[in-house]
């Protein structure tokens, strides 16, 4: 930090409500209740009331005013609300028969001290009331006729100038970034205009803005007047810190009307050629929205009542300004509300919320009046209108993930925060971003619009160092001449209603996503339940069926043994049929059981050498291999993430079928594997009877066979089991064959195991 920056930062912190300096046109007294003993006075009491401060301190107010007036004041002070006694006219004898009339204004400061401020009263008593009446009536009448905010502001400045007779009256509004702009101005004709000029944030430093928020009206009748101090300098009673009575805090003058402005502000006024100023704060929702600033080239006093009238006007009129501001956007807000409800309808009907946002009219571009929009849904981009390219968007989202933790990020100058945005300023100088979750973002873009801002003096030189009395200090700029700035890397600003609509859309999307997740979870639960029921059924069926089946088998065998001699040829044949039926049923039950056992939960995915799995399968099939004289070859089998038993079962079923469905040719079976992008492709090829292509799907369905059992034994479950196993591994299975041309069965196993496919990572 340079010294200059340090000084500027100090300016932002410097307390100005405790400087203990008073404007010299009035007298300030700190009183102790209930006797109204004088604890502290402004030093100019000797000049204005002709009493030396050291004599005044220790006396009571009754010693200065006559008892009748003091009694009246005390009655007023017993009420909590000082509005009824402020101001009270008081007469003070200044020696002999001379009286001076003052407006007496009371308040209690934060330390609970009673503060009385006496300002010289202006003689024509009716003027304030009449002025106020005119001011209010004229403004309120005209209010109804005005069409827009700007016109309305013009009327206010005109009326305020009429009654206060300042050389210049301006209505000044603060931007979001703290800079101010003159919205309306009424001035003496010979003076140059400040209308439309911008003033940097530092012109009204933070402590000053805080005071303007709590003290709604502020008069500096003579910017050149020399401020006076308090006697004694530190109030003996104020702000004594408990346990440390020796530390005295300065008198808090936040709500004082006589408090002197900071030297820097006085110098600022001086540099601007202002001799006196009156400032009326415009407060909206507790925040300083703007000011009505009145400037006069020479010193000028405005009586308390008229000031109060201006303050009142400021409040009444300003509530109208706020309403106007809001109703100006009414039609637009209604339109956005309509678009929003359309989008919500589309989203809830669409498969995926993204589709609902981009595929119809109106779409998300209409919601914020943006030229481009991008939706990031689990790392996938959907773009609409003019946007940066996906690669740049990836980086932008990474930056947002690190830096934005709120529900929304809005800027009309992205490059200010994120310098890389400079390169796509033509599409995205303005950004409105809403994070929906860590991996889901909605972004709207606006292009750069080069604007010219007129400043009242160069804003980057708002303050300069100057030498005074041998020390270097910070002082406001001397020149307020028009200084034009071309603002680049900035888009048109996002309106409050647009931001609000984006936020509401966010809520709707979050709700839809949550609802979809809920539905999915419900579906998963239903599936799990029906799966579990199926497994239980298969188990119970196989178990419970096996028992009576064994009975049948045993008794048929008993029949055969005991009554062999008594049975004729047909009887024996029938018993033979019964035995065969029972054994087929046993096979069917075993296969159904095997099928029901193939499931994800039961599978153990480990690195499995396919050669080993094949070896085990061939071992199980060795007798049929021997009988069929099959020539079995294999190549390039890899190691894969799989359940080894299930993989062995696959080979066994496929090779078993190859042997079973062999033709007259000498049987050859070839097992192969080939690496694809993200999976291994296995094939089992035979030269058997082949399959008509029209049946190539049907054979994978349970119990589906193409031949009678007399031709080829079997249950029709083998390929169904294979299909289920492959699906557990998130792979595919299919066959390529022609009748009598042999058949090749293919299946795939994902390279990284089953998780690869499902999560898409
Ligand atoms: P099963 O072998 O018990 O009949 P599968 O489910 O294994 O049951 O096979 C279903 C049907 O597919 C078989 O009945 C057969 O008609 C046909 N099939 C299976 N493998 C082959 C093959 N290698 N060659 C010709 N047809 C086959």
């Amino acid at each position: 930090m340079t010294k200059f920056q340090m000084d500027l930062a100090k300016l932002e912190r410097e307390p100005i409500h405790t400087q203990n300096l008073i404007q010299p046109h009035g007298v300030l007294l700190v009183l102790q209740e209930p006797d109204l003993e004088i604890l502290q006075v402004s030093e100019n009491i000797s000049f204005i009331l002709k009493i030396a401060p050291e004599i005044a301190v220790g006396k009571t107010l009754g010693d200065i005013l006559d008892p009748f007036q003091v009694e009246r004041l005390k009655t007023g002070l017993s009420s909590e609300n000082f509005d009824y006694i402020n101001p009270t006219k008081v007469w003070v004898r200044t020696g002999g028969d001379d009286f001076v009339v003052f407006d007496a204004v009371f308040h209690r400061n934060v330390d609970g001290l009673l503060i009385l401020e006496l300002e010289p009263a202006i003689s024509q008593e009716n003027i304030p009331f009449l002025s106020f009446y005119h001011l209010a009536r004229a403004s309120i009448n005209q209010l109804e006729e005005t069409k827009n905010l700007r016109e309305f502001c013009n009327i206010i400045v005109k009326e305020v100038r009429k009654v206060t007779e300042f050389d210049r009256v301006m209505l000044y509004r603060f931007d979001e970034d703290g800079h101010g702009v003159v919205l309306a101005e009424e001035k003496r004709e010979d003076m140059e205009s400040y209308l439309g000029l911008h003033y940097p944030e530092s012109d009204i430093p933070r402590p000053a803005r805080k005071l303007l928020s709590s003290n709604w009206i502020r008069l500096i009748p003579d910017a050149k007047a020399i401020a006076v101090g308090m006697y004694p300098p530190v109030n003996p009673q104020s702000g004594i810190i408990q346990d440390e009575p020796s530390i005295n805090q300065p008198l808090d003058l936040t709500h004082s009307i006589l408090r002197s402005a900071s030297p820097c502000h006085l110098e600022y006024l001086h540099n601007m050629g202002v001799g006196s100023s009156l400032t009326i704060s415009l407060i909206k929702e507790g925040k300083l929205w703007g000011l009505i600033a009145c400037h006069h080239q020479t010193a000028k006093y405005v009586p308390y009542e008229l000031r109060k009238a201006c303050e009142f006007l400021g409040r009444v009129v300003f509530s109208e300004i706020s309403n106007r501001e809001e109703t100006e956007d009414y039609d637009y807000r209604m339109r956005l509300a309509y678009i929003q409800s359309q989008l919500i309808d589309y989203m809830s009907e669409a498969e995926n919320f993204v589709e609902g946002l981009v595929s119809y009219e109106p779409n998300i571009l209409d919601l914020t009046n943006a030229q481009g929009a991008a939706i990031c849904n689990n790392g996938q981009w959907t773009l609409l209108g003019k946007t940066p390219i996906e690669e740049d968007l990836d980086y932008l989202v990474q930056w947002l993930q690190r830096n934005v933790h709120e529900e929304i990020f809005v800027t009309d100058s992205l490059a200010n925060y994120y310098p890389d945005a400079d390169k796509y300023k033509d599409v995205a100088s303005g950004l409105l971003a809403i994070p929906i979750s860590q991996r889901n973002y909605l972004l709207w873009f606006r292009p750069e619009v080069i604007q010219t801002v007129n400043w009242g003096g160069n804003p980057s030189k708002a303050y300069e160092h100057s030498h005074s009395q041998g020390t270097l200090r910070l002082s406001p700029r001397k020149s307020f001449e028009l200084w034009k700035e071309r603002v680049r890397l900035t888009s048109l600003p996002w309106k409050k209603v647009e931001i609000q609509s984006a936020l509401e859309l966010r809520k709707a999307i979050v709700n839809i996503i949550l609802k979809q997740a809920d539905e999915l979870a419900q579906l998963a639960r239903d599936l799990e339940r029906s799966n579990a029921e199926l497994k239980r059924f298969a188990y119970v069926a196989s178990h419970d069926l096996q028992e009576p089946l064994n009975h049948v088998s045993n008794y048929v065998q008993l029949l055969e043994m005991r009554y062999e001699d008594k049975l004729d040829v047909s009887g024996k044949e029938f018993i033979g049929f019964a035995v065969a039926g029972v054994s087929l049923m046993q096979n069917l039950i075993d296969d159904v059981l095997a099928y029901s056992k193939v499931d994800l939960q039961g599978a153990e995915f480990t690195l499995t050498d396919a050669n080993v799995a094949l070896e085990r399968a061939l071992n199980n099939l060795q007798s049929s291999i021997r009988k069929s004289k099959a020539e079995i070859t294999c190549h390039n089998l890899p190691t894969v993430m799989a359940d080894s038993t299930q993989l062995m079962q696959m080979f066994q079923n496929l090779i078993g079928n190859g042997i079973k469905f062999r033709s007259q040719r000498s049987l050859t079976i070839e097992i192969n594997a080939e690496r694809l992008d993200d999976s291994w492709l296995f094939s089992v090829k035979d030269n058997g009877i082949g399959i008509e292509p029209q049946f190539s799907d049907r054979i994978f369905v349970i119990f589906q066979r193409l031949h009678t059992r007399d031709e080829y034994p079997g249950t029709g479950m083998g390929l169904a089991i294979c299909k289920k196993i492959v699906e557990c591994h998130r792979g595919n299975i299919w066959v390529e064959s022609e009748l009598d041309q042999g058949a090749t069965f293919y299946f795939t196993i994902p390279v990284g195991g089953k998780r690869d496919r499902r999560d898409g990572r």
Side-chain angles (χ1 to χ4, degrees):
M1 227 191 205
T2 63
K3 168 147 176 33
F4 184 71
Q5 285 168 322
M6 260 152 55
D7 287 349
L8 211 57
K10 205 170 125 214
L11 201 68
E12 282 289 316
R13 285 195 316 268
E14 214 154 49
I16 47 178
H17 58 294
T18 54
Q19 281 184 350
N20 265 338
L21 287 173
I22 301 299
Q23 301 191 65
H25 67 280
V27 181
L28 186 142
L29 301 100
V30 183
L31 304 172
Q32 167 94 43
E33 290 172 284
D35 302 334
L36 306 186
E37 184 194 332
I38 299 168
L39 299 177
Q40 208 178 1
V41 288
S42 58
E43 280 169 342
N44 58 349
I45 191 167
S46 54
F47 176 68
I48 294 182
L49 298 185
K50 313 277 189 263
I51 310 169
E54 51 280 14
I55 293 177
V57 169
K59 284 205 159 60
T60 66
L61 196 59
D63 298 330
I64 297 179
L65 306 179
D66 63 53
F68 164 72
Q69 295 192 72
V70 174
E71 276 321 302
R72 204 166 43 125
L73 290 175
K74 275 187 177 168
T75 317
L77 289 173
S78 61
S79 143
E80 274 299 295
N81 188 349
F82 288 176
D83 282 348
Y84 298 111
I85 51 165
N86 283 342
T88 302
K89 293 263 181 289
V90 295
W91 290 263
V92 184
R93 194 194 293 267
T94 51
D97 283 340
D98 287 348
F99 281 90
V100 183
V101 187
F102 290 95
D103 278 327
V105 177
F106 286 94
H107 78 272
R108 276 199 190 88
N109 79 356
V110 287
D111 302 316
L113 288 166
L114 184 65
I115 293 181
L116 165 62
E117 295 176 88
L118 298 174
E119 284 189 316
I122 301 291
S123 52
Q124 301 108 312
E125 283 181 38
N126 281 336
I127 279 191
F129 173 72
L130 279 179
S131 308
F132 170 61
Y133 175 70
H134 285 301
L135 180 66
R137 194 191 58 176
S139 328
I140 289 164
N141 278 349
Q142 290 184 58
L143 268 181
E144 284 156 16
E145 286 158 31
T146 56
K147 286 187 203 67
N148 57 36
L149 178 70
R150 202 159 281 262
E151 208 176 299
F152 185 71
C153 295
N154 283 335
I155 289 176
I156 301 172
V157 290
K158 199 180 250 168
E159 292 306 314
V160 170
R161 178 154 184 255
K162 212 187 270 172
V163 290
T164 58
E165 296 173 333
F166 271 87
D167 289 338
R168 183 199 303 273
V169 177
M170 294 177 284
L171 199 146
Y172 185 87
R173 192 188 67 194
F174 294 105
D175 287 341
E176 292 288 312
D177 54 11
H179 299 326
V181 60
V182 179
L183 285 191
E185 180 190 51
E186 186 67 22
K187 59 168 189 64
R188 242 174 51 194
E189 262 178 22
D190 59 324
M191 294 171 92
E192 63 169 321
S193 171
Y194 292 165
L195 188 64
L197 290 192
H198 287 69
Y199 291 87
E201 189 184 8
S202 56
D203 276 13
I204 304 179
R206 205 167 303 142
R209 256 174 290 161
K210 209 169 144 217
L211 280 174
L212 284 166
S213 305
S214 55
N215 218 351
W216 292 22
I217 187 143
R218 184 86 180 106
L219 174 70
I220 301 171
D222 184 358
K224 287 205 194 100
I226 294 167
V228 292
M230 295 297 292
Y231 178 87
V234 174
N235 183 301
Q237 303 252 319
S238 76
I240 293 173
I241 297 172
Q242 249 181 357
D243 306 328
E244 280 184 81
S246 59
I247 301 176
N248 283 323
Q249 302 242 313
L251 185 64
D252 186 294
L253 290 176
T254 302
H255 292 281
S256 156
I257 51 177
L258 287 175
R259 174 174 46 78
S260 173
S262 76
C264 201
H265 183 59
L266 290 173
E267 197 173 345
Y268 179 87
L269 291 178
H270 176 75
N271 291 352
M272 252 187 153
V274 174
S276 61
S277 87
L278 174 70
T279 318
I280 303 162
S281 307
L282 301 173
I283 309 284
K284 187 177 177 186
E285 289 157 12
K287 270 172 64 185
L288 192 62
W289 178 92
L291 300 171
I292 299 176
C294 312
H295 289 170
H296 209 64
Q297 278 188 335
T298 53
K300 177 168 176 55
Y301 186 70
V302 180
Y304 183 81
E305 277 182 329
L306 184 52
R307 268 147 47 204
K308 271 292 185 200
C310 290
E311 182 196 320
F312 178 77
L313 188 82
R315 287 194 198 203
V316 172
V317 151
F318 183 62
S319 74
E320 183 63 26
I321 293 186
S322 310
N323 288 344
R324 295 268 161 152
E325 253 191 335
E326 260 134 49
T327 47
E328 275 209 345
D329 282 333
Y330 183 77
D331 291 342
Y332 188 41
R333 211 168 45 222
M334 285 297 109
R335 164 135 186 81
L336 294 191
Y338 166 75
I339 294 172
Q340 192 184 313
S341 71
Q342 290 283 97
L343 290 177
I344 293 173
D345 279 357
Y346 297 152
M347 278 195 294
S348 41
E349 279 162 26
E351 281 268 302
N352 180 328
F353 75 92
V354 178
E355 190 194 319
L357 293 177
V358 300
S359 309
Y360 309 95
E361 287 290 329
N363 57 41
I364 41 167
L365 288 181
D366 302 305
L367 189 74
T368 59
N369 188 22
Q371 271 75 42
I375 307 170
C376 179
N377 186 20
N378 291 324
Q380 294 284 320
W381 284 105
T382 307
L383 309 181
L384 201 64
K386 291 185 184 147
T387 68
I389 57 168
E390 286 191 14
E391 193 190 341
D392 290 331
L393 290 174
D394 284 335
Y395 287 122
L396 177 62
V397 162
Q398 282 170 22
W399 179 82
L400 288 169
Q401 280 167 345
R402 279 196 307 275
N403 296 289
V404 174
H405 307 290
E406 290 79 36
E407 284 186 344
I408 194 157
F409 174 76
V410 194
T411 174
D412 54 11
S413 182
L414 181 59
N416 243 339
Y417 298 88
Y418 177 64
D420 284 4
D422 192 329
K423 69 175 178 201
Y424 45 77
K425 62 182 187 336
D426 291 340
V427 290
S429 278
L431 170 69
L432 197 165
I434 51 175
I436 293 163
S437 64
Q438 219 13 32
R439 308 187 68 206
N440 290 300
Y441 274 81
L442 228 74
L443 311 175
W444 284 273
F445 305 105
R446 278 186 184 169
E448 178 184 43
V449 176
I450 298 175
Q451 298 164 59
T452 306
V453 175
N454 296 325
W455 292 93
N458 185 345
S460 56
K461 292 186 183 146
Y463 288 87
E464 49 204 40
H465 270 127
S466 64
H467 287 275
S468 81
Q469 294 150 1
T471 56
L472 195 64
R473 65 185 194 89
L474 206 59
S475 60
R477 61 193 179 279
K478 303 267 179 320
S479 165
F480 287 85
E481 240 168 55
L482 175 64
W483 195 92
K484 276 182 187 288
E485 183 190 17
R486 277 174 60 86
V487 181
R488 294 177 189 281
L489 297 174
T490 302
S491 72
L492 292 179
W494 302 92
K495 287 192 172 179
K496 218 170 153 187
V497 279
E498 291 159 349
I499 296 169
Q500 199 55 36
S501 306
L503 270 174
E504 277 162 23
L505 186 75
R506 177 184 188 277
K507 259 190 234 154
I509 294 174
V510 168
N511 281 342
I512 286 171
I513 291 180
L514 286 180
K515 203 167 140 242
Q516 281 174 350
D518 249 15
E519 283 167 3
L520 271 179
Q522 183 62 35
L523 211 65
R525 275 197 296 277
D526 288 352
L527 266 175
E528 213 168 285
R529 196 173 335 109
S530 75
N531 246 342
E533 272 165 17
L534 207 69
K535 257 176 90 176
R536 217 175 9 256
F537 168 76
Y539 177 79
V540 169
S542 55
H543 210 261
D544 290 6
L545 285 176
Q546 247 158 3
E547 219 179 75
L549 199 63
N550 287 341
H551 257 74
V552 175
S553 160
N554 291 342
Y555 281 104
V556 170
Q557 279 170 23
L558 212 62
L559 262 178
E560 196 183 23
M561 273 164 29
R562 278 226 194 134
Y563 303 101
E564 203 181 5
D565 330 338
K566 296 182 182 132
L567 288 172
D568 61 5
V569 179
S570 304
K572 283 182 187 157
E573 200 181 3
F574 294 161
I575 283 182
F577 288 152
V579 172
V582 166
S583 103
L584 172 62
M585 188 135 173
Q586 225 139 24
N587 287 342
L588 281 169
I589 289 173
D590 286 346
D591 279 357
V592 169
L593 202 62
Y595 181 81
S596 73
K597 274 187 189 154
V598 180
D599 71 31
L600 252 180
Q601 273 101 40
E604 269 182 46
F605 290 85
T606 51
L607 276 177
T608 301
D609 183 351
N611 290 297
V612 175
L614 176 67
E615 203 73 28
R616 282 170 59 202
L618 295 178
N619 203 32
N620 293 344
L621 291 166
Q622 56 178 300
S623 82
S624 47
I625 294 173
R626 208 176 317 116
K627 267 187 230 155
S628 62
K629 300 203 178 77
E631 187 191 316
I632 298 176
T633 52
C634 81
H635 312 278
N636 317 322
L637 294 196
T639 294
V640 287
M641 259 323 243
D643 179 300
S644 61
T645 308
Q646 290 185 351
L647 190 60
M648 180 274 287
Q649 181 87 54
M650 289 285 297
F651 285 131
Q652 186 172 324
N653 288 3
L654 296 175
I655 296 166
N657 279 351
I659 296 172
K660 185 161 48 172
F661 299 105
R662 64 184 177 273
S663 64
Q664 304 299 330
R665 295 180 283 270
S666 61
L667 175 61
T668 58
I669 296 177
E670 210 180 306
I671 300 117
N672 236 316
E674 180 188 334
R675 173 73 195 252
L676 304 182
D677 273 353
D678 52 3
S679 60
W680 281 98
L681 174 67
F682 289 87
S683 60
V684 178
K685 181 179 179 184
D686 63 47
N687 60 348
I689 61 169
I691 302 161
E692 272 188 71
Q694 56 171 319
F695 301 125
S696 49
D697 288 332
R698 204 213 279 179
I699 52 171
F700 293 99
V701 178
I702 45 175
F703 299 137
Q704 290 289 333
R705 334 189 54 242
L706 305 178
H707 307 276
T708 61
R709 290 210 170 77
D710 296 337
E711 291 173 280
Y712 299 98
T715 57
M717 286 297 290
L719 289 179
I721 291 172
C722 287
K723 187 165 185 306
K724 203 167 171 198
I725 290 174
V726 170
E727 281 170 357
C728 273
H729 286 76
R730 309 278 175 215
N732 287 316
I733 184 165
W734 68 98
V735 66
E736 282 174 14
S737 177
E738 293 283 342
L739 202 57
D740 205 27
Q741 298 292 309
T744 309
F745 284 84
Y746 293 98
F747 66 93
T748 57
I749 302 280
V751 169
K754 70 181 165 75
R755 270 197 196 86
D756 269 24
R757 297 295 279 300
R758 196 167 46 171
D759 298 355
R761 260 184 248 152

